[in-house]
């Protein structure tokens, strides 16, 4: 770390095992105060070139290590992050605006678990073998690491999503150049400080900080980076797809969502309401899996709405470092304005805002007056065609609408361009299976939300993504397969 100014935290790129200063920097804001508190390298082609070279140089030795050797290093890294869990959680909360409670209980524990999980799963893959006795041949598959992986991640779950990529990539024997979001770079930089102690050889993990347009695009366009794993918006994914097409790169794209929750009249509302509040407002609604369209069967619509709004009003918005707070700050001023603009559009279209933005007043502590805060907002009577029901808002805003029949609600839930995650609430087992089968969604949770088994595929349909991640899926993405035939 360099001390350009006493007050500001100044990050450096991590290339070939060393922290390297950059010639220019961009500001990073504390979303809870609106103050600049950190300077992030504004990397471009030059820095990406150096990082890719370091990763390329490190590849042959790392790729030739046994899975067990790599696994031990991943486990060590997990232990080191876990040892510093509180420092990581404080940093993630300050950098992103999320509550300290969420960072402590979700973000950082999951980053630790990502390394432990892939350290274990990489030991248990098997390849295929078949025999063609009639012609005296057997075939088998062999898998090898691909090379330098380019990893690009968003700002909503910074270390959690970056490690979800780094862990499988290096467990499989690739080396990586990672680019976290320019808005949330601090915890990735902190992790770099632990790599040497964990035994990660120089050049295996390189991190370049900077914007998507400069650093991200330089990585996507680099001819020596054959695969890109990207999590972010659908718009950016389209750009990445175009830019990487001339190189025929392998892409994994985890994108946005417009996730429905379907509540049938036989749902257990005592379970459904608190879970749907979480699925709508957890992490300020800034989770790709958050619910933003709640379809409630007409018979229980009024009761649901009354109870849901009463509970939403209890969510405390305030200083993210206060452990009693439920909703922290949104990532940026621009994002806050964007989220608010959806509420205004809904009102202009005749929808009813039942609580939150523009309806209730928000009292903030003195130090947080300039932070990017917003109350959990519930909108009712919104038309399915409204932009609030079609576009990803990615904030603490959820729409509640009524439906009559199963067939109708499936059609309406599927009537968006996204297909990431859906939840279904009903005590009828036959119905939950039937509806889950018919939803165009990469993930369907019934009578729960966000319960994840990392072994199973994760990813979206339609504009929500291309490819899947998980134990087997990430292994397949991060390795090259070869079929070998032996005549005996
Ligand atoms: P974003 O697309 O703006 O940015 C994501 C990353 O891509 C950042 O690191 C950014 O710097 C980089 N980037 C931007 N332009 C680039 C370019 N031209 N070339 C290369 N890299 C570029 O997304 P965001 O605003 O940071 O994150 C929010 C979005 O991420 C939401 O749409 C959300 O749904 C999605 N998301 C999806 C998942 C998932 O698993 N499906 C998980 C989390 C977030």
């Amino acid at each position: 770390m360099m001390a350009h100014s006493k007050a500001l935290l100044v990050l450096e790129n991590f290339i070939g095992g060393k922290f390297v200063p950059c010639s220019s920097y961009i500001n990073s804001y504390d979303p809870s105060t609106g103050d600049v508190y950190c300077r992030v390298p504004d990397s471009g082609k030059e820095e990406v070139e150096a990082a890719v070279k370091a990763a390329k140089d490190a590849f042959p030795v790392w790729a030739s290590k046994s899975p067990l050797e790599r696994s031990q290093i991943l486990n060590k890294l997990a232990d080191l992050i876990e040892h510093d869990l509180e420092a990581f959680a404080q940093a993630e909360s300050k950098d992103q605006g999320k509550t300290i409670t969420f960072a402590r209980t979700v973000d950082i524990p999951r980053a630790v678990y990502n390394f432990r999980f892939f350290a274990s799963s990489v030991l248990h893959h098997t390849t295929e073998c078949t025999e063609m006795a009639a012609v005296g041949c057997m075939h088998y598959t062999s898998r090898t690491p691909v090379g330098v992986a380019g990893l690009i991640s968003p700002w909503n779950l910074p270390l959690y999503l970056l490690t979800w990529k780094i862990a499988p990539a290096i467990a499989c024997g690739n080396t990586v150049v990672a680019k976290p979001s320019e808005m949330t770079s601090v915890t990735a930089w902190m992790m770099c400080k632990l790599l040497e102690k964990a035994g990660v050889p120089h050049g295996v993990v390189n991190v370049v900080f900077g914007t998507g347009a400069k650093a991200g695009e330089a990585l996507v366009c680099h001819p020596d980076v054959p695969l890109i794993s990207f999590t972010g918006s659908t718009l950016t994914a389209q750009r990445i797809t175009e830019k990487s097409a001339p190189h025929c790169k392998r892409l994994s794209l985890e994108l946005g969502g417009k996730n429905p929750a379907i509540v049938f009249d036989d749902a257990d509302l005592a379970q459904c309401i608190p879970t749907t509040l979480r699925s709508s407002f957890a992490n300020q609604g800034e989770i790709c899996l958050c619910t933003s369209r709640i379809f409630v069967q007409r018979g229980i619509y009024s009761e649901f709405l009354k109870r849901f709004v009463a509970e939403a009003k209890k969510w405390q918005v305030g200083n993210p470092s206060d452990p009693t707070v439920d909703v922290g700050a949104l990532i940026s001023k621009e994002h806050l304005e964007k989220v608010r603009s959806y509420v205004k559009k809904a009102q202009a279209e005749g929808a009813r805002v039942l609580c939150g933005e523009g309806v209730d007043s928000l009292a903030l502590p003195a130090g947080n007056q300039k932070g990017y805060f917003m109350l959990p907002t519930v909108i009712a009577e919104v038309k399915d065609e409204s932009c609030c029901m079609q576009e990803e808002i990615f904030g603490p805003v959820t729409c509640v609408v009524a439906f009559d029949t199963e067939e109708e609600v499936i059609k309406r839930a599927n009537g968006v361009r996204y297909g990431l995650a859906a939840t279904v609430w009903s005590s009828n087992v036959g119905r939950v299976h039937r509806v889950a089968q018919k939803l165009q969604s990469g993930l369907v949770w019934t009578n729960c939300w966000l319960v994840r088994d990392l072994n199973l595929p994760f990813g979206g349909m339609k504009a929500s993504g291309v490819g899947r991640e998980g134990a087997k899926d990430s292994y397949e993405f991060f390795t090259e397969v070869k079929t070998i035939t032996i005549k005996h």
Side-chain angles (χ1 to χ4, degrees):
M1 174 186 165
M2 293 192 337
H4 279 197
S5 142
K6 261 186 196 162
L8 296 184
L9 177 64
V10 182
L11 311 188
E12 291 175 320
N13 287 323
F14 188 73
I15 299 174
K18 293 192 178 67
F19 285 101
V20 188
C22 193
S23 54
S24 59
Y25 287 80
I26 45 181
N27 288 334
S28 184
Y29 295 82
D30 173 343
S32 74
T33 61
D35 296 332
V36 174
Y37 89 104
C38 174
R39 305 269 292 154
V40 174
D42 184 15
S43 310
K45 277 189 184 151
E46 201 182 308
E47 291 76 15
V48 168
E49 183 63 48
V52 173
K53 185 178 179 311
K56 239 180 123 177
D57 291 347
F59 178 69
V61 171
W62 184 247
S64 67
K65 285 194 186 296
S66 71
L68 185 59
E69 282 175 286
R70 294 197 292 258
S71 167
Q72 284 163 342
I73 292 172
L74 262 71
N75 275 322
K76 185 78 200 287
L77 183 55
D79 293 345
L80 292 170
I81 298 174
E82 192 171 50
H83 180 266
D84 292 349
L85 194 146
E86 183 55 24
F88 272 98
Q90 296 276 355
E92 203 72 299
S93 168
K94 187 171 178 66
D95 205 24
Q96 207 273 342
K98 64 177 69 228
T99 65
I100 185 64
T101 307
F102 200 84
R104 268 183 197 142
T105 57
V106 179
D107 288 77
I108 309 305
R110 174 60 189 275
V112 170
Y113 187 62
N114 284 338
F115 284 111
R116 294 219 172 104
F117 177 81
F118 286 104
S120 165
S121 79
V122 76
L123 302 176
H124 304 290
H125 297 295
T126 54
T127 53
E128 293 160 281
C129 181
T130 61
E131 217 180 345
M132 292 172 83
V135 291
C137 282
M138 62 164 280
H139 312 275
Y140 69 94
T141 57
S142 126
R143 283 195 174 265
T144 47
V146 184
V148 180
L151 312 177
I152 301 176
S153 56
W155 48 256
N156 62 327
L157 299 165
L159 193 66
Y160 169 137
L161 287 172
L162 191 67
T163 54
W164 174 238
K165 299 181 183 306
I166 293 177
I170 65 172
C172 292
N174 303 281
T175 55
V176 309
V177 176
K179 196 210 81 67
S181 167
E182 60 275 31
M183 286 186 271
T184 52
S185 299
V186 173
T187 48
W189 170 79
M190 288 170 69
M191 183 194 70
C192 292
K193 296 202 241 179
L194 303 177
L195 294 174
E196 186 161 306
K197 197 167 174 197
V200 179
H202 291 179
V204 170
V205 175
N206 306 276
V207 182
V208 283
F209 299 102
T211 65
K214 268 177 78 182
E217 219 155 291
L219 187 56
V220 167
C221 296
H222 199 293
D224 293 336
V225 179
L227 77 178
I228 299 286
S229 173
F230 169 78
T231 299
S233 66
T234 302
L235 196 64
T236 305
Q238 287 164 342
R239 174 98 182 152
I240 289 177
T241 306
E242 276 171 32
K243 287 282 163 186
S244 61
H247 304 279
C248 298
K249 294 196 183 200
R250 184 185 296 202
L251 299 180
S252 168
L253 305 171
E254 298 289 353
L255 314 177
K258 188 69 192 170
N259 309 309
I262 302 175
V263 186
F264 286 97
D265 57 11
D266 59 356
D268 175 0
L269 291 187
Q271 296 281 330
C272 170
I273 288 175
T275 307
T276 310
L277 282 158
R278 270 198 312 119
S279 75
S280 299
F281 304 129
N283 205 45
Q284 300 71 245
E286 296 169 327
I287 305 179
C288 56
L289 307 166
C290 274
T291 302
S292 61
R293 296 179 295 149
I294 307 173
F295 294 92
V296 184
Q297 204 156 19
R298 202 167 304 273
I300 56 163
Y301 180 72
S302 301
E303 187 199 348
F304 178 95
L305 212 50
K306 203 169 132 213
R307 287 169 64 177
F308 189 80
V309 169
E311 291 301 314
K313 281 172 177 263
K314 293 183 188 161
W315 280 51
Q316 295 295 318
V317 179
N319 191 336
S321 63
D322 175 348
T324 65
V325 154
D326 305 298
V327 181
L330 273 70
I331 185 66
S332 68
K333 198 166 188 301
E334 295 70 27
H335 189 58
L336 175 65
E337 291 311 325
K338 185 188 137 189
V339 176
R340 281 182 170 155
S341 76
Y342 278 99
V343 183
K344 287 205 183 74
K345 282 181 210 164
Q347 273 169 321
E349 288 169 359
R352 279 197 306 139
V353 180
L354 300 178
C355 65
E357 178 66 19
V359 175
D360 300 304
S361 58
L362 172 58
L364 290 167
N368 299 107
Q369 299 290 330
K370 291 189 180 147
Y372 318 134
F373 295 92
M374 181 174 170
L375 288 163
T377 300
V378 181
I379 310 179
E381 279 130 53
V382 203
K383 294 201 173 58
D384 285 6
E385 311 73 61
S386 163
C387 60
C388 294
M389 288 287 279
Q390 291 291 324
E391 296 171 17
E392 183 182 49
I393 300 176
F394 217 53
V397 177
T398 197
C399 299
V400 189
V401 292
F403 75 92
D404 292 297
T405 68
E406 184 180 313
E407 198 184 341
E408 169 210 335
V409 77
I410 291 167
K411 196 160 170 235
R412 290 172 67 191
N414 288 340
V416 292
R417 70 185 190 121
Y418 295 105
L420 186 56
T423 45
V424 181
W425 291 90
S426 167
S427 52
N428 178 331
V429 171
R431 176 188 274 156
V432 294
H433 281 289
R434 217 167 39 236
V435 175
Q437 291 287 344
K438 289 184 183 157
L439 287 171
Q440 295 165 347
S441 184
L443 304 147
V444 181
W445 280 291
T446 74
N447 300 320
C448 63
W449 178 70
L450 210 62
V451 181
R452 291 266 291 115
D453 177 348
L454 304 192
N455 284 295
L456 298 189
F458 176 92
M461 293 182 182
K462 305 196 300 193
S464 290
V466 176
R468 295 291 184 271
E469 294 176 343
K472 186 162 171 282
D473 298 85
S474 298
Y475 175 65
E476 289 175 357
F477 179 74
F478 285 113
T479 55
E480 196 71 80
V481 68
K482 189 185 287 178
T483 301
I484 299 172
T485 302
I486 308 286
K487 175 103 169 83
H488 51 84

